[in-house]
């Protein structure tokens, strides 16, 4: 499945970053000024683990990515 390849296939070729919601306007301004495309892919919340959603419903991926440590 395509979603399994996207979640566990590797070949990470894009930079990921996190920013506080209060900084959203500043991030948007900086991205626009540098003509840098950006796609929001998630939200960080307190706790442990990762929950993936598809169509607003949690899904359990059938594959996992590389374990770095």
């Amino acid at each position: 499945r395509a979603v399994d390849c996207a979640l566990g296939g590797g070949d990470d070729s894009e930079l990921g970053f996190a920013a506080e919601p209060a900084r959203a306007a500043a991030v948007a301004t900086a991205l626009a000024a540098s003509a840098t495309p950006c796609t929001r892919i998630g939200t960080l919340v307190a706790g442990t683990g990762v929950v993936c959603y598809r169509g607003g419903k949690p899904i359990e991926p059938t594959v996992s990515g590389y374990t770095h440590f």
Side-chain angles (χ1 to χ4, degrees):
R1 291 183 1 196
V3 71
D4 290 334
C5 290
L7 294 173
D11 294 325
D12 301 327
S13 59
E14 301 231 2
L15 175 66
F17 70 94
E20 296 178 36
R23 304 285 297 155
V27 169
T29 299
L31 292 167
S34 62
T36 303
C38 183
T39 302
R40 181 178 177 199
I41 62 167
T43 303
L44 299 176
V45 296
T48 61
V50 174
V51 179
C52 298
Y53 291 88
R54 186 169 190 187
K57 297 180 182 179
I59 62 167
E60 186 68 37
T62 59
V63 297
S64 63
Y66 179 76
T67 302
H68 295 276
F69 302 102

